[in-house]
Amino acid sequence: MAEGPDPVVADLEQEVTCGICHDRYQEPKLLPCCHYYCKQCILTLSSRYRPNQPFPCPDCREPTLLPDNNPDRLPTAFFINRMKALHSRMEKAHGKLETTCEVCSGGKATAFCRQCVNFICEKCVESHQRMKAGFATHIVSTLDELKQGGVKELTFENPPPPKCEDHEEPKKIFCFDCNKLICRDCIVIEHAGHNYEFVKKAAPATRKKLTEHLSPLKNLLPDLSTAVNQVKGTKQKIQAQKELTERQVNAKFQELHDILDRCKVRVLRESSALADSRMEKLTVQEKGLDLSLGTAQSLIDFVDRTLENASDEELITMQEQVVSRIDAEVVKRGKEAANPDPVEKDDFGVEIFVCEDLKNLLCVKNVFVYDGKVDPTKCTVEGDGAKNAEIDNPACFSINTHQPRKCSSKTKVTLKSLVDESSQQLQAVPVKGEVYSVEYTPRLRGRHHLLISVDDQPIPGSPFSVFIKIPPTKLDKPVRVMRGINNPRYMVFNSSEELIVTDGSGDVLVFDKKGKQIRSISKSKHGFGNICGVAVDKEDNIYVCDSNKHCVYKFNKRGDLLKRFGTKGNGPKELIWPRGIAVAGDQVFVCDDQNHRVQVLTTELEPVKQIGSEGTGNEHFNCPEDVTVDNEQMVYVTDCYNHRVQVLTMDGRFIRSIGKKGNGQGDLYGPHGVCVTGFVYVAEYTNKRVSAFTKDGQFVISFGNGHITNPYGVAVDSNGFVYVRSQESVVIF
């Protein structure tokens, strides 16, 4: 009987096989998550991603960043190399590999010396036995004994410590400050005064520390195992329920099929009997009429022949008899001709229809029969999907009738876009009791109306307002371009969704939702110099910064000048090159560019305070370009030549900084415009792109590169469309 594979060898075979290439490990490297793979496999895997972008571990999916894109910077999985050597020896011990003497290289190996860690031939075995002085303590095992002893017979002694590259001394000491092995000479030279300990003395404490740290993880194994078993059990129950449901559905529909077959036979029998009864009556009528027709025709033929052939004497003689017969036939057949209709009508037929109740009978467990109707005024809507959703991602909500389900009521759900007036019909699916579930995947961003009706009557709250948002990761291509604007600068939306833009000609332009210019505040009338930032307050008054005139203007929504603030200088009521501007409540924030500060004014343009001064630290600026305030009353300032966005409280206290100088992912270079909705959008003048971050400063994505040139301002409308200033246009993403 052939021997099966040795389980120890099989286990080792699995341990020394790379999980990516499924071959023996070649230069195994250890990832930060403690999984290991061949060096080349790691390099190949990381090459599928952009430089400096983490790649997922194939085992645990943990993001891994390759140091300097070089796998040599990862630690070597030295124990895997030892296991490879052990596996090779196990294969030799079990005869899977040709085994020759590793001492004399002369003959076939028949034994293994544990102290020499070599396979040896019979001659070398005899030498071991003969030379008692040098080999008295050596333990020699035959190959058969190795098969019995397994790994215990082949395990290696700990390898000697590596030698120092600088001093050729063994590295027997560990420096805790530098986290590296060192030799005795290193203590005196490079590591004088450091915290160090001999490896043999430090190793037990290290083993104890690792064991203690491992204990909590081991304690989690039972709970994790229980969770896995619960999930498996649930899957098995679902599979069993699926099979049971299939049998129930098949049985129920077979029952329905049998009922329909019996109904068909009954309807055909009844319709046939009805048709036969009518046909019988019509047959009797047909025979009587045929007889009358034949009698009348026979009398007519007789009289015609008599008139043609009889003599005058014969005709006069027959006159009384013939006239009497004709009169009698006229009276008799006249009654029949006066009522020519068939005794039965030809309106025979069977009306067959499928009612709505039958169409809605499908249910996973049972077939339900309902009667009556739902009262729409008692229905409510529950779930976030009736308020918010994300484009291309499933959303759901439920309709609760608060009454027993009744299939005779017709529920209609419509999702209508307020952007392009398109509509999407949604299906309400019964789930339990009086609750219906509605699932949908929106395809168009922006504001929508959700119209819900029962039996053509809207339920309370319908139409509901739903906002379909789009994540920045999907803003890869422009959807529209507004052309014909001379070097636009900054922009903002008012409460009527009108876009207000400052352009290079010195005019303030106002556009409607379709991009058509509807009015302007002209340079020729107000003598603007170089207008930049623009903002609106809750009453749609317009605030404009003029860099050349070193001032701020306030206009009403019609464009009438209300007030002007500032002259050139660095005092409390002075500005030098004001750029961006924002309004939050009753406060106005102005980027005082060349004074390297943010001035805070009232909406009546009276000075309140100043935030920051020139510098590189927190709450210091180097040419602040733009400012905005989010719905949580946090102030965002683009600190242009410090290449960052500073996030401050309303009173100017520093919270966090977003970005750093560079052109990589998450870097900023010369940021100008900033706009905050659910994300922070930053227009990068030098990098020619817009970068999106979360509010806590996590980078999300950059977009617009290749579609926009030297972006200044950025704004987002109520439907989630991002407007970005380009050289001679406004590009909409």
Side-chain angles (χ1 to χ4, degrees), residues 530-550:
N530 179 28
I531 56 174
C532 293
V534 60
V536 294
D537 61 20
K538 59 185 178 182
E539 295 174 353
D540 281 346
N541 294 313
I542 303 171
Y543 300 77
V544 180
C545 288
D546 190 331
S547 295
N548 285 0
K549 297 291 182 71
H550 311 287

Side-chain angles (χ1 to χ4, degrees), residues 388-601:
N388 300 286
E390 186 170 286
I391 192 169
D392 293 334
N393 283 335
C396 67
F397 62 93
S398 61
I399 304 171
N400 193 332
T401 65
H402 300 285
Q403 306 149 74
R405 278 186 305 179
K406 305 173 189 294
C407 285
S408 56
S409 290
K410 182 180 179 182
T411 302
K412 183 178 180 181
V413 183
T414 304
L415 185 67
K416 183 177 181 180
S417 170
L418 300 183
V419 178
D420 64 358
E421 301 296 319
S422 63
S423 296
Q424 181 180 356
Q425 296 300 320
L426 309 183
Q427 184 177 10
V429 179
V431 287
K432 65 175 182 178
E434 60 273 3
V435 179
Y436 291 77
S437 175
V438 180
E439 291 190 8
Y440 65 100
T441 301
R443 303 299 181 193
L444 185 67
R445 68 176 124 167
R447 299 200 174 277
H448 290 65
H449 272 169
L450 182 65
L451 301 97
I452 303 176
S453 62
V454 176
D455 293 333
D456 297 325
Q457 181 178 343
I459 70 171
S462 179
F464 299 89
S465 180
V466 183
F467 183 73
I468 310 299
K469 62 184 178 181
I470 182 170
T473 51
K474 295 183 181 293
L475 299 173
D476 52 345
K477 293 181 180 178
V479 295
R480 188 161 60 94
V481 178
M482 295 174 59
R483 303 187 186 279
I485 305 174
N486 181 22
N487 193 17
R489 303 295 176 82
Y490 291 90
M491 63 196 82
V492 70
F493 286 94
N494 63 17
S495 62
S496 301
E497 284 293 296
E498 295 170 341
L499 179 65
I500 305 172
V501 183
T502 56
D503 77 347
S505 300
D507 296 330
V508 180
L509 309 177
V510 183
F511 299 85
D512 64 14
K513 294 179 181 180
K514 296 182 179 180
K516 179 182 177 181
Q517 183 179 332
I518 54 178
R519 61 182 178 275
S520 66
I521 304 174
S522 66
K523 176 181 179 179
S524 59
K525 180 177 179 179
H526 298 285
F528 297 142
N530 179 28
I531 56 174
C532 293
V534 60
V536 294
D537 61 20
K538 59 185 178 182
E539 295 174 353
D540 281 346
N541 294 313
I542 303 171
Y543 300 77
V544 180
C545 288
D546 190 331
S547 295
N548 285 0
K549 297 291 182 71
H550 311 287
C551 66
V552 175
Y553 300 96
K554 178 180 178 180
F555 301 88
N556 63 21
K557 58 185 177 182
R558 296 187 303 274
D560 302 318
L561 180 63
L562 301 178
K563 199 165 186 179
R564 170 176 168 165
F565 167 84
T567 56
K568 185 175 182 180
N570 54 17
K573 294 186 178 182
E574 296 176 329
L575 302 165
I576 300 181
W577 276 79
R579 304 287 285 178
I581 188 170
V583 181
D586 58 357
Q587 290 187 316
V588 180
F589 295 80
V590 182
C591 287
D592 195 355
D593 188 90
Q594 293 301 300
N595 283 326
H596 309 288
R597 64 188 180 187
V598 175
Q599 288 232 46
V600 183
L601 315 173

Side-chain angles (χ1 to χ4, degrees), residues 285 289 334-342:
Q285 183 184 19
L289 291 173
K335 292 180 180 180
E336 293 176 347
N339 298 289
D341 294 335

Side-chain angles (χ1 to χ4, degrees), residues 7-130:
V8 177
V9 177
D11 288 344
L12 278 175
E13 175 73 28
Q14 187 174 358
E15 290 290 339
V16 299
T17 301
C18 174
I20 296 179
C21 65
H22 304 293
D23 204 347
R24 298 283 175 82
Y25 282 108
Q26 301 294 327
E27 298 184 78
K29 293 292 183 179
L30 188 66
L31 298 182
C33 60
C34 295
H35 290 110
Y36 38 85
Y37 306 95
C38 302
K39 182 179 81 171
Q40 185 58 43
C41 291
I42 293 174
L43 186 61
T44 302
L45 179 62
S46 66
S47 66
R48 300 173 187 170
Y49 299 83
R50 294 193 296 269
N52 298 319
Q53 180 186 11
F55 62 90
C57 168
D59 273 347
C60 64
R61 315 307 297 171
E62 186 73 19
T64 300
L65 187 61
L66 197 59
D68 298 331
N69 295 319
N70 184 4
D72 288 327
R73 296 286 302 277
L74 294 172
T76 299
F78 55 86
F79 54 93
I80 294 298
N81 288 328
R82 296 183 67 192
M83 292 178 70
K84 283 176 60 180
L86 179 60
H87 179 262
S88 176
R89 293 190 181 282
M90 288 294 294
E91 286 188 318
K92 290 180 180 180
H94 286 73
K96 288 190 175 183
L97 296 177
E98 182 69 26
T99 310
T100 59
C101 181
E102 295 177 342
V103 176
C104 67
S105 302
K108 183 177 180 180
T110 59
F112 180 76
C113 177
R114 294 184 62 185
Q115 279 66 39
C116 297
V117 198
N118 283 323
F119 285 92
I120 56 178
C121 63
E122 291 183 3
K123 289 183 179 180
C124 293
V125 172
E126 293 174 0
S127 299
H128 272 61
Q129 295 171 348
R130 186 170 57 250

Side-chain angles (χ1 to χ4, degrees), residues 221-290:
L221 291 181
D223 292 339
L224 290 173
S225 179
T226 300
V228 170
N229 291 333
Q230 287 177 343
V231 172
K232 288 182 178 178
T234 303
K235 287 177 62 179
Q236 292 173 353
K237 290 179 181 178
I238 291 175
Q239 180 63 32
Q241 184 63 30
K242 174 188 173 184
E243 295 170 358
L244 174 62
T245 301
E246 288 177 353
R247 293 194 298 271
Q248 290 176 334
V249 169
N250 288 332
K252 182 55 63 177
F253 275 88
Q254 183 60 49
E255 180 182 346
L256 291 173
H257 186 273
D258 294 342
I259 293 172
L260 289 173
D261 274 348
R262 291 195 296 271
C263 182
K264 180 179 73 173
V265 171
R266 178 180 59 81
V267 171
L268 289 175
R269 184 175 61 247
E270 292 177 357
S271 64
S272 178
L274 178 61
D276 290 345
S277 174
R278 291 189 175 190
M279 291 284 287
E280 185 177 352
K281 292 179 181 179
L282 289 171
T283 298
V284 172
Q285 183 184 19
E286 181 185 17
K287 288 181 179 179
L289 291 173
D290 281 344

Side-chain angles (χ1 to χ4, degrees), residues 355-362 368-374 404-411 430 436 455:
C355 63
E356 291 298 322
D357 288 3
L358 184 60
K359 291 180 181 178
N360 294 327
L361 280 179
L362 182 60
F368 300 97
V369 177
Y370 305 105
D371 57 6
K373 290 182 177 295
V374 169
R405 278 186 305 179
K406 305 173 189 294
C407 285
S408 56
S409 290
K410 182 180 179 182
T411 302
Y436 291 77
D455 293 333

